[in-house]
């Protein structure tokens, strides 16, 4: 079970100083499946080298093998800014890795990696019981202060278990998920007059905008067995997500402490095939500047493609299913 970690602010921190690479395997299968640079791996119906299609639920254990490498930092000396001038980073800091499942609350043991092992050809293995996890696994890594310092340090953490840097998370999908944004974008019925849909809050910097739909559709839009409803959301989601992308780039202010905001970042990072750090850089550009506008136009095109190819919801497959069902009538 994970130890309690304490985040104390304000003090100097660094983002993604150390990154992870990894492969996964399941019992009874020789294939090792590489986790892509997108930091997301969908194991459900994953094609194996043998031509077979993977079904994670038919296996008992999932093994994740991880290695480390320097990312935002180039070596231990680059972490000196996180500690007191009289301290050595490798004496008081370490990298902590854990794997957890939000749905079932399962969490692996934490592995502590000495800083002098970062970038070395060492693998760190996690054995995960498939029956104890569901939907999505998340791999987290963070630089942790292992020793406290009784001195009052200006802009430096002195408490044990202070988190000084978080790495970009890796996600592994093990079950089929058909959401196309619903887990990230708030949607609810409301009295919006003659309109079917509306989006409220696109001019607010901090609160996530909310998708509203007419009250009259509540009993239908909460079902997933109506072809007309499914088709409506398949087509509408392109507009919804493009509107959220405009808000994210041109209006929002990055808030690393807001979990809902982080979920929206995760969504667009995956759909647009861009790292969260790069996406944050674009958000923090001068609003509506030529450079930011240029980046948005590229992201909008990437979103249109990625929503169809990088989504857990297979647009082509689901639309063909609806068309064929209608054609039989």
């Amino acid at each position: 079970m994970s130890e309690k970690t304490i985040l104390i602010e304000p003090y100097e921190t660094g983002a993604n100083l150390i990154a992870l690479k990894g492969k996964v395997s399941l019992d009874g299968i020789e294939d090792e499946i590489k986790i892509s640079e997108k930091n997301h791996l969908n194991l459900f119906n994953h094609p194996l080298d043998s031509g077979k299609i993977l079904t994670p639920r038919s296996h008992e254990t999932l093994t994740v093998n991880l290695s480390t490498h320097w990312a935002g930092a180039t070596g231990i000396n680059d972490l000196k800014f996180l500690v007191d001038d009289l301290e050595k980073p490798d004496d008081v800091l370490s990298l902590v890795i854990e794997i957890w499942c939000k749905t079932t609350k399962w969490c692996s043991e934490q592995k502590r990696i000495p800083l002098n092992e970062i970038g070395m050809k060492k693998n760190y293995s996690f054995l995960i019981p498939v029956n104890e996890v569901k939907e999505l696994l998340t791999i987290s890594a963070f630089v942790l202060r292992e020793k406290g310092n009784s001195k009052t340090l200006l802009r430096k953490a002195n408490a044990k278990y202070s988190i000084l840097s978080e790495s970009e998370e890796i996600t592994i999908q093990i079950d089929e998920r058909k959401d196309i944004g619903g887990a990230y974008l708030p949607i609810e019925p409301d009295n919006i007059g003659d309109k079917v849909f509306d989006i409220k809050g696109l001019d607010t910097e901090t609160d996530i905008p909310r998708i509203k739909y007419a009250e009259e559709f509540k009993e239908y839009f909460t079902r997933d067995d109506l072809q007309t409803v499914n088709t409506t959301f398949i087509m509408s989601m392109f507009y919804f997500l493009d509107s959220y992308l405009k808000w994210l780039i041109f209006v929002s202010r990055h808030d690393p402490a807001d979990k809902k905001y982080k979920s929206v970042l995760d969504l667009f990072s995956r759909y647009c095939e861009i790292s969260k750090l790069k996406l944050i850089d674009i958000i923090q550009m001068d609003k509506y500047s030529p450079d930011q506008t240029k980046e948005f136009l590229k992201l909008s095109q990437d979103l249109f493609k990625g929503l169809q190819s990088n989504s857990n919801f297979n647009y082509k497959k689901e639309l063909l299913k609806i068309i064929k069902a209608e054609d039989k009538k």
Side-chain angles (χ1 to χ4, degrees), residues 197-323:
F197 291 110
D198 197 6
I199 304 179
K200 302 290 187 180
L202 290 172
D203 57 349
T204 305
E205 291 184 356
T206 53
D207 294 336
I208 307 296
R210 307 187 74 83
I211 301 170
K212 306 285 187 175
Y213 63 84
E215 286 274 5
E216 299 92 314
F217 293 98
K218 182 177 180 180
E219 65 175 298
Y220 307 112
F221 281 4
T222 53
R223 295 168 55 180
D224 60 5
D225 61 339
L226 298 176
Q227 295 179 9
T228 306
V229 171
N230 292 340
T231 307
T232 299
F233 277 95
I234 286 175
M235 296 298 102
S236 300
M237 199 55 67
F238 288 101
Y239 172 74
F240 292 157
L241 287 171
D242 200 59
S243 296
Y244 271 80
L245 181 63
K246 290 188 182 78
W247 171 81
L248 187 68
I249 300 301
F250 294 126
V251 179
S252 79
R253 300 293 172 182
H254 176 232
D255 184 358
D258 188 331
K259 292 183 178 180
K260 292 182 179 178
Y261 189 91
K262 186 178 178 181
S263 293
V264 175
L265 283 177
D266 290 341
L267 182 72
F268 285 101
S269 173
R270 173 154 53 91
Y271 284 171
C272 298
E273 292 191 325
I274 183 174
S275 73
K276 281 182 283 187
L277 295 177
K278 174 62 176 174
L279 187 55
I280 291 168
D281 286 343
I282 296 172
I283 292 167
Q284 293 177 334
M285 288 180 174
D286 291 338
K287 297 300 182 183
Y288 294 102
S289 65
D291 286 343
Q292 191 184 51
T293 302
K294 183 179 179 181
E295 292 288 354
F296 164 76
L297 292 173
K298 181 181 183 302
L299 287 174
S300 184
Q301 291 296 312
D302 292 340
L303 173 64
F304 181 71
K305 298 173 185 176
L307 182 54
Q308 298 174 74
S309 59
N310 298 331
S311 171
N312 296 326
F313 184 95
N314 189 314
Y315 263 76
K316 185 176 181 180
K317 176 183 175 182
E318 295 298 326
L319 188 55
L320 276 172
K321 185 191 298 182
I322 292 171
I323 291 171

Side-chain angles (χ1 to χ4, degrees), residues 61-306:
T61 56
L62 169 70
T63 302
V64 180
N65 286 303
L66 300 168
S67 61
T68 63
H69 64 96
W70 294 105
T74 59
I76 294 176
N77 286 338
D78 287 351
L79 274 62
K80 285 183 177 180
F81 76 99
L82 298 174
V83 299
D84 184 46
D85 292 341
L86 299 178
E87 295 177 314
K88 295 181 179 180
D90 47 330
D91 285 343
V92 297
L93 305 179
S94 66
L95 179 72
V96 177
I97 305 175
E98 65 181 6
I99 303 178
W100 51 279
C101 176
K102 179 180 179 181
T103 305
T104 65
K105 310 301 182 186
W106 179 89
C107 187
S108 72
E109 63 175 331
Q110 289 185 337
K111 293 188 183 292
R112 282 171 159 73
I113 316 300
L115 294 186
N116 58 19
E117 291 186 10
I118 305 302
M120 306 294 286
K121 293 183 178 180
K122 287 194 174 185
N123 288 317
Y124 307 95
S125 181
F126 293 82
L127 187 66
I128 300 163
V130 175
N131 66 339
E132 293 186 25
V133 296
K134 187 178 180 182
E135 294 182 357
L136 201 71
L137 289 169
T138 301
I139 304 172
S140 298
F142 43 91
V143 175
L144 193 73
R145 187 178 181 100
E146 297 283 8
K147 299 178 182 178
N149 189 324
S150 59
K151 293 169 56 178
T152 300
L153 307 178
L154 181 63
R155 293 288 295 158
K156 303 289 176 69
N158 65 352
K160 189 176 181 181
Y161 301 139
S162 298
I163 298 174
L164 305 182
S165 175
E166 292 187 78
S167 300
E168 189 162 347
E169 291 179 341
I170 296 174
T171 53
I172 301 174
Q173 181 184 329
I174 58 174
D175 293 312
E176 181 179 22
R177 295 174 63 189
K178 290 191 174 183
D179 65 87
I180 48 175
Y184 306 84
L185 308 182
I187 182 167
E188 59 199 10
D190 203 349
N191 183 7
I192 55 175
D194 294 334
K195 298 185 292 293
V196 177
F197 291 110
D198 197 6
I199 304 179
K200 302 290 187 180
L202 290 172
D203 57 349
T204 305
E205 291 184 356
T206 53
D207 294 336
I208 307 296
R210 307 187 74 83
I211 301 170
K212 306 285 187 175
Y213 63 84
E215 286 274 5
E216 299 92 314
F217 293 98
K218 182 177 180 180
E219 65 175 298
Y220 307 112
F221 281 4
T222 53
R223 295 168 55 180
D224 60 5
D225 61 339
L226 298 176
Q227 295 179 9
T228 306
V229 171
N230 292 340
T231 307
T232 299
F233 277 95
I234 286 175
M235 296 298 102
S236 300
M237 199 55 67
F238 288 101
Y239 172 74
F240 292 157
L241 287 171
D242 200 59
S243 296
Y244 271 80
L245 181 63
K246 290 188 182 78
W247 171 81
L248 187 68
I249 300 301
F250 294 126
V251 179
S252 79
R253 300 293 172 182
H254 176 232
D255 184 358
D258 188 331
K259 292 183 178 180
K260 292 182 179 178
Y261 189 91
K262 186 178 178 181
S263 293
V264 175
L265 283 177
D266 290 341
L267 182 72
F268 285 101
S269 173
R270 173 154 53 91
Y271 284 171
C272 298
E273 292 191 325
I274 183 174
S275 73
K276 281 182 283 187
L277 295 177
K278 174 62 176 174
L279 187 55
I280 291 168
D281 286 343
I282 296 172
I283 292 167
Q284 293 177 334
M285 288 180 174
D286 291 338
K287 297 300 182 183
Y288 294 102
S289 65
D291 286 343
Q292 191 184 51
T293 302
K294 183 179 179 181
E295 292 288 354
F296 164 76
L297 292 173
K298 181 181 183 302
L299 287 174
S300 184
Q301 291 296 312
D302 292 340
L303 173 64
F304 181 71
K305 298 173 185 176

